[in-house]
C-alpha cells in the first residue's frame, strides 16, 4: 500500500511540475498581451490535456496578482460535456462520431414493438436468416438506403458478436435476395416510425440482390447495430436475407481471446494472486492485457508466462462455456472476474480444461485454481491447440501500478518465432565475418531489430548479442580510424617537408573532416608562413570537405581564408566561410575537386602578388 501511495505521489508531482511549466508559459503570454487574466483556453488545456486542477491554476494566478477567466473555462467544459453526450462518449480513432442510438430513437423502436435483437447465435459462425427491422443513418431512421451512405442496420436476430468486454466486433455481410412484398404492408407503421411514405419503387414485389458490407457491430439499448454501407442494390425495411460473418477474421479473434484467458491465469501463477485485470483488447492481429502490478516484469518472468501459455496450447485443453446462475458461479473456487464489473444473472462461465458441471458440483475444490475459469461473454476456440502458438512481444507500463502485455497467437506468433530465429542465425554468422564486412552487417542487423516483430525474450537475448557485435565493429572502426589517421598524417608531413611555395593547395586521400583538420595543423606548424588549402572527397557519399588556413603576413596582403574557401566550394557545388585565418567549406561534386584546386591556387597567388 505504501509503495502504491508513493507511486501516486510521484506521478502527481510530475503532473504538478509539468503544469507549473505550462502555467508559466500561459502567464507570460498574458503579460505579453498586457493582460492580468489567464485565458479560458489555457486554463482548460491545463485541466483537460495535462490533468492540472483548475483550483491550482487559480491559486497560482492569485500568487502572481493575476486572475483566471472562469466563465470562459466553464463554457469550454460544458462544450466538452455536450460533445461527449452527443457521441455517447465514443469517438473513433480518426475523430469521427461512432454510430449510436440516442435514447429517443430507442424509445421509438420500443413504442412500435420492435424488440431488442436476439443474439443467442453470436457464438456460432454459421449464416443466419434475418429480417431488417430498422435502418438508422446517424440522425434518424430511413425506409430505404442506396449505395454508399454509412448506416446501422437493425435486424430481428444476429450472429455477429458486438464490441464488448475488450473483444472487437465482427465484420461480414448482409445479403438480401428474397421478395420484398412485405414492404408495402408497413406503410402506415413506417409513417409513425420514419415520418415518410414509401415510394412506388419501394413497394415493388421483387428486386435484385442487395448486399450490405458490415464493418462494425455495436449494441445500444439491446438493439444490435450492424454498421456499414450498401454496396449493391437498395436496402429496404422489411427485407429478409442472410447475415454472414467474416470467418477468416473471427478465427484469430477466437485464438486471441482464449489466449488472453490463459495469459491471465499464467500471470497469477508467476506474479501472484494479487494480479487483477484492468483492461484488455482482443483483436484479429493481436491481444493486449492490462493488469495491476507495481513493477516491470523481469525477462525470466516473461519467459515463464509465455512458457505456461504455450504448454496449455500444446496440451490441447478443451474450452467449456455455459450460462449458470450467478450465485452458483461465484462459489467456484478460483473463478476470476473483472473487479467492479456488473455481471448478469445467470452469468456465462468459460473454463479451459474442466467441464462446467464438474466445477459446479464440487465448487470448493482447491484444484480448480490450477485452471483458467472466468466470467466471460466472449467467443472462444473449441480447444487450446487451435491457437497454435503464443508469443509476448512487449511488456510495458500503462499507468502507475498498471502494466500492459501485448501478445500474438496463430500464424503471427509462428512468424515472430521464425523471424527471431533467422535474426539470431544472422547475428551468429556476422560474428564470423571479416573486419571489412562486419560494421555494415552490424548496422543492417540493428535496423532489422527495430523493424521486425519478435518475442520480447528473443529481443532481449538478441540485443545482448548485438551489443557484442557492436563492440567488435567499434573496435574495427577504431583500428581503421587509427590507420586512416596515420595515413593522413603521413601525407601532411610529406606535403610540408617538400613544400617551397607560399601557397599549398592539395587533396588528402582517405581523410574526413576531423583528420583533415589534423593535417592542416601539421602543415601550419611546419610551414607557418604558407597559406594552405586541403581537400578530401568521397564518391560514395557525393561529398567534398575543404579547410583553409592563412598566416597573418598573407592576410595583410589580401588573402583571407573565408573568401578563399568560398571560391573553391562554389566550383564543388557547395559553400562555406570563416575567419580570415581559418575557414571551412563543403561541396557535393567530388569530380570538380581538380578544377577547384586549380582555381584556388590561382586565386591565392593573385591575392598575394
Amino acid at each position: 500500500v505504501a509503495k502504491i501511495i508513493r507511486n501516486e505521489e510521484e506521478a502527481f508531482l510530475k503532473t504538478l511540475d509539468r503544469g507549473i511549466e505550462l502555467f508559466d508559459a500561459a502567464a507570460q503570454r498574458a503579460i505579453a498581451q498586457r493582460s492580468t487574466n489567464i485565458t479560458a483556453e489555457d486554463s482548460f488545456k491545463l485541466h483537460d490535456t495535462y490533468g492540472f486542477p483548475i483550483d491550482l491554476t487559480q491559486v497560482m494566478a492569485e500568487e502572481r496578482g493575476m486572475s483566471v477567466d472562469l466563465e470562459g473555462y466553464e463554457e469550454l467544459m460544458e462544450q466538452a460535456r455536450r460533445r461527449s453526450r452527443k457521441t455517447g462518449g465514443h469517438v473513433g480513432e480518426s475523430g469521427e462520431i461512432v454510430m449510436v442510438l440516442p435514447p429517443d430513437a430507442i424509445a421509438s423502436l420500443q413504442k412500435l414493438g420492435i424488440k431488442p435483437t436476439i443474439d443467442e447465435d453470436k457464438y456460432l459462425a454459421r449464416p443466419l436468416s434475418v429480417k431488417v427491422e430498422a435502418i438508422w443513418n446517424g440522425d434518424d431512421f430511413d425506409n430505404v438506403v442506396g449505395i454508399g451512405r454509412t448506416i446501422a442496420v437493425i435486424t430481428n436476430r444476429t450472429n455477429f458478436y458486438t464490441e464488448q468486454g475488450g473483444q472487437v466486433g465482427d465484420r461480414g455481410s448482409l445479403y438480401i435476395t428474397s421478395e420484398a412484398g412485405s414492404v408495402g404492408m408497413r406503410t402506415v407503421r413506417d409513417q409513425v416510425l420514419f415520418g415518410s411514405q414509401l415510394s412506388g419503387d419501394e413497394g415493388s414485389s421483387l428486386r435484385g440482390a442487395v448486399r450490405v458490407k458490415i464493418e462494425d457491430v455495436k449494441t445500444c439499448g439491446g438493439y444490435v447495430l450492424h454498421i456499414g454501407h450498401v454496396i449493391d442494390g437498395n436496402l429496404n425495411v422489411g427485407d429478409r436475407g442472410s447475415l454472414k460473418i467474416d470467418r477468416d477474421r473471427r478465427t484469430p479473434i477466437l485464438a486471441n481471446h482464449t489466449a488472453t484467458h490463459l495469459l491471465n491465469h499464467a500471470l497469477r501463477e508467476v506474479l501472484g494472486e494479487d494480479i487483477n485485470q484492468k483492461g484488455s483488447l482482443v483483436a484479429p492481429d493481436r491481444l493486449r492485457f492490462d493488469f495491476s502490478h507495481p513493477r516491470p516484469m523481469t525477462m525470466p518472468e516473461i519467459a515463464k508466462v509465455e512458457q505456461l501459455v504455450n504448454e496449455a496450447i500444446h496440451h490441447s485443453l478443451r474450452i467449456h462455456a455455459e450460462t449458470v446462475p450467478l450465485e452458483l458461479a461465484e462459489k467456484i473456487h478460483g473463478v476470476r472476474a473483472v473487479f467492479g464489473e456488473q455481471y448478469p444473472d445467470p452469468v456465462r462461465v468459460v473454463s479451459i480444461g474442466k467441464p462446467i458441471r464438474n466445477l459446479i458440483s464440487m465448487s470448493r475444490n482447491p484444484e480448480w485454481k490450477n485452471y483458467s475459469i472466468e466470467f466471460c461473454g466472449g467467443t472462444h476456440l473449441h480447444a487450446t491447440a487451435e491457437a497454435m502458438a503464443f508469443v509476448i512481444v512487449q511488456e510495458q507500463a500503462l499507468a502507475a501500478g498498471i502494466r500492459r502485455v501485448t501478445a500474438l497467437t496463430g500464424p503471427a506468433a509462428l512468424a515472430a518465432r521464425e523471424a527471431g530465429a533467422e535474426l539470431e542465425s544472422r547475428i551468429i554468422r556476422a560474428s564470423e565475418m571479416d573486419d571489412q564486412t562486419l560494421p555494415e552487417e552490424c548496422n543492417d542487423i540493428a535496423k532489422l531489430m527495430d523493424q521486425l516483430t519478435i518475442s520480447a525474450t528473443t529481443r532481449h537475448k538478441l540485443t545482448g548479442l548485438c551489443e557484442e557485435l557492436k563492440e567488435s565493429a567499434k573496435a574495427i572502426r577504431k583500428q581503421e580510424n587509427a590507420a586512416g589517421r596515420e595515413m593522413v598524417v603521413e601525407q601532411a608531413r610529406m606535403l610540408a617537408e617538400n613544400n617551397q611555395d607560399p601557397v599549398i593547395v592539395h587533396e588528402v586521400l582517405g581523410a574526413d573532416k576531423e583528420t583533415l583538420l589534423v593535417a592542416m595543423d601539421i602543415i601550419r606548424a611546419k610551414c607557418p608562413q604558407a597559406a594552405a588549402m586541403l581537400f578530401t572527397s568521397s564518391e560514395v557519399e557525393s561529398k567534398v570537405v575543404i579547410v583553409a588556413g592563412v598566416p597573418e603576413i598573407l592576410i595583410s596582403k589580401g588573402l583571407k581564408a573565408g573568401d578563399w574557401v568560398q571560391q573553391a566550394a562554389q566550383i564543388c557545388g557547395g559553400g562555406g566561410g570563416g575567419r580570415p585565418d581559418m575557414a571551412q567549406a563543403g561541396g557535393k561534386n567530388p569530380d570538380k575537386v581538380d578544377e577547384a584546386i586549380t582555381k584556388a591556387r590561382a586565386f591565392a597567388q593573385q591575392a598575394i602578388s
Side-chain angles (χ1 to χ4, degrees):
V1 171
K3 190 170 183 178
I4 291 172
I5 291 173
R6 176 178 291 277
N7 289 340
E8 291 291 338
E9 288 177 349
E10 290 174 350
F12 181 74
L13 287 174
K14 289 178 182 177
T15 298
L16 192 61
D17 289 342
R18 178 63 176 149
I20 290 172
E21 291 178 13
L22 295 167
F23 176 84
D24 288 340
Q28 291 299 322
R29 282 194 294 272
I31 293 170
Q33 297 172 3
R34 300 189 177 186
S35 173
T36 59
N37 197 29
I38 303 298
T39 66
E41 290 76 11
D42 283 333
S43 302
F44 178 75
K45 186 176 182 180
L46 279 165
H47 168 77
D48 188 58
T49 305
Y50 300 100
F52 201 65
I54 185 61
D55 53 350
L56 274 180
T57 303
Q58 288 180 268
V59 170
M60 292 174 63
E62 290 171 0
E63 289 174 349
R64 297 193 180 199
M66 304 179 77
S67 59
V68 176
D69 181 4
L70 286 178
E71 185 176 341
Y73 168 82
E74 290 298 338
E75 175 59 28
L76 291 174
M77 285 293 293
E78 181 56 32
Q79 290 177 16
R81 295 187 192 104
R82 285 198 295 268
R83 286 195 299 270
S84 179
R85 286 195 295 268
K86 182 178 179 181
T87 63
H90 300 286
V91 178
E93 292 181 1
S94 60
E96 80 282 4
I97 297 175
V98 173
M99 191 80 75
V100 294
L101 283 179
D104 57 342
I106 295 173
S108 295
L109 292 173
Q110 294 172 340
K111 181 179 179 180
L112 289 160
I114 298 178
K115 297 179 181 180
T117 311
I118 300 171
D119 66 350
E120 61 189 24
D121 294 290
K122 63 186 177 184
Y123 299 114
L124 305 174
R126 63 194 180 198
L128 182 68
S129 296
V130 298
K131 178 182 178 183
V132 177
E133 296 284 359
I135 304 170
W136 176 250
N137 64 28
D139 295 317
D140 52 25
F141 292 100
D142 286 334
N143 289 324
V144 59
V145 176
I147 295 172
R149 186 174 184 181
T150 298
I151 55 171
V153 182
I154 300 171
T155 55
N156 61 328
R157 305 174 65 88
T158 188
N159 54 354
F160 279 63
Y161 185 88
T162 63
E163 180 183 327
Q164 58 184 311
Q167 180 176 329
V168 299
D170 280 325
R171 293 179 184 175
S173 298
L174 168 63
Y175 296 91
I176 305 296
T177 56
S178 60
E179 292 186 0
S182 61
V183 176
M185 298 171 59
R186 298 184 58 183
T187 303
V188 175
R189 176 185 171 189
D190 289 338
Q191 278 187 280
V192 178
L193 180 57
F194 307 109
S196 64
Q197 291 279 357
L198 293 175
S199 68
D201 290 341
E202 291 166 306
S204 61
S205 61
L206 186 65
R207 301 195 324 275
V210 181
R211 182 186 170 199
V212 181
K213 184 178 181 181
I214 300 168
E215 297 161 333
D216 197 6
V217 192
K218 296 187 182 299
T219 301
C220 293
Y223 296 96
V224 174
L225 306 181
H226 303 84
I227 303 166
H229 58 276
V230 179
I231 59 175
D232 288 307
N234 292 320
L235 179 69
N236 287 264
V237 172
D239 282 351
R240 295 182 180 274
S242 176
L243 275 175
K244 297 180 180 180
I245 66 168
D246 183 345
R247 298 182 66 171
D248 291 338
R249 183 173 179 273
R250 178 182 272 206
T251 298
I253 293 175
L254 302 180
N256 285 335
H257 203 154
T258 298
T260 300
H261 284 219
L262 294 173
L263 172 62
N264 189 5
H265 186 264
L267 285 168
R268 295 200 313 274
E269 185 169 334
V270 174
L271 302 179
E273 288 295 321
D274 290 337
I275 297 301
N276 284 302
Q277 181 177 344
K278 294 296 182 181
S280 66
L281 170 70
V282 179
D285 60 333
R286 70 196 186 284
L287 66 93
R288 285 200 320 247
F289 188 78
D290 304 335
F291 59 98
S292 58
H293 196 51
R295 59 170 177 80
M297 292 176 66
T298 65
M299 278 301 148
E301 287 172 340
I302 293 174
K304 182 62 176 176
V305 168
E306 193 173 272
Q307 175 192 336
L308 289 174
V309 175
N310 279 301
E311 286 176 357
I313 292 172
H314 176 72
H315 291 141
S316 192
L317 302 173
R318 182 77 178 176
I319 289 94
H320 305 270
E322 288 185 26
T323 300
V324 300
L326 182 61
E327 183 181 0
L328 295 178
E330 290 176 332
K331 292 178 180 179
I332 299 172
H333 186 79
V335 68
R336 302 294 292 191
V338 177
F339 180 76
E341 187 80 13
Q342 295 294 319
Y343 290 95
D345 188 8
V347 66
R348 189 167 182 263
V349 179
V350 175
S351 168
I352 301 179
K354 282 291 178 181
I356 305 299
R357 62 178 180 273
N358 292 13
L359 303 178
I360 297 295
S361 63
M362 297 181 288
S363 60
R364 294 304 180 187
N365 188 342
E367 181 190 351
W368 299 157
K369 74 174 184 178
N370 298 322
Y371 296 88
S372 169
I373 308 166
E374 296 189 31
F375 294 167
C376 176
T379 57
H380 287 273
L381 301 170
H382 295 100
T384 56
E386 297 170 27
M388 301 169 67
F390 175 83
V391 165
I392 295 175
V393 295
Q394 188 176 45
E395 191 273 348
Q396 65 189 122
L398 182 63
I402 307 295
R403 308 297 301 178
R404 167 173 286 178
V405 166
T406 304
L408 308 173
T409 62
L414 295 175
R417 283 183 181 176
E418 184 177 352
E422 289 181 357
L423 191 55
E424 183 174 3
S425 297
R426 184 166 177 176
I427 292 172
I428 293 171
R429 291 195 301 271
S431 64
E432 301 170 353
M433 287 183 174
D434 57 45
D435 293 352
Q436 292 184 345
T437 55
L438 178 58
E440 185 176 351
E441 178 69 359
C442 191
N443 289 335
D444 290 343
I445 289 172
K447 291 177 183 177
L448 283 174
M449 283 279 288
D450 292 334
Q451 297 169 357
L452 292 176
T453 299
I454 58 178
S455 76
T457 52
T458 299
R459 185 176 298 278
H460 179 74
K461 176 184 177 182
L462 298 188
T463 299
L465 294 176
C466 274
E467 287 302 319
E468 295 177 8
L469 271 187
K470 287 178 182 178
E471 288 300 318
S472 298
K474 188 176 180 181
I476 291 170
R477 288 192 185 97
K478 190 173 181 180
Q479 292 174 358
E480 290 175 347
N481 291 339
R485 186 185 181 94
E486 290 177 5
M487 183 180 73
V488 170
V489 167
E490 180 61 20
Q491 291 180 72
R493 187 182 64 78
M494 294 294 292
L495 274 174
E497 290 179 354
N498 297 326
N499 179 66
Q500 302 295 328
D501 299 325
V503 176
I504 301 171
V505 182
H506 206 279
E507 181 176 9
V508 178
L509 302 177
D512 55 18
K513 183 178 179 179
E514 182 181 348
T515 54
L516 199 63
L517 290 171
V518 172
M520 176 62 71
D521 290 340
I522 292 171
I523 291 174
R524 297 189 74 181
K526 290 184 175 291
C527 305
Q529 301 303 313
M533 178 178 287
L534 301 179
F535 293 73
T536 190
S537 63
S538 170
E539 292 286 349
V540 175
E541 298 180 9
S542 298
K543 183 178 179 181
V544 179
V545 180
I546 311 168
V547 297
V550 180
E552 188 63 38
I553 188 171
L554 296 184
I555 293 174
S556 64
K557 290 186 177 184
L559 180 61
K560 297 179 180 179
D563 298 336
W564 196 17
V565 294
Q566 284 183 9
Q567 294 293 321
Q570 286 175 3
I571 296 171
C572 296
R579 304 190 309 269
D581 64 322
M582 192 71 186
Q584 301 177 26
K588 55 186 179 182
N589 297 322
D591 56 322
K592 296 287 187 179
V593 168
D594 289 342
E595 180 184 345
I597 288 174
T598 301
K599 293 288 179 68
R601 186 177 288 116
F603 179 89
Q605 289 174 344
Q606 182 178 356
I608 64 176
S609 60

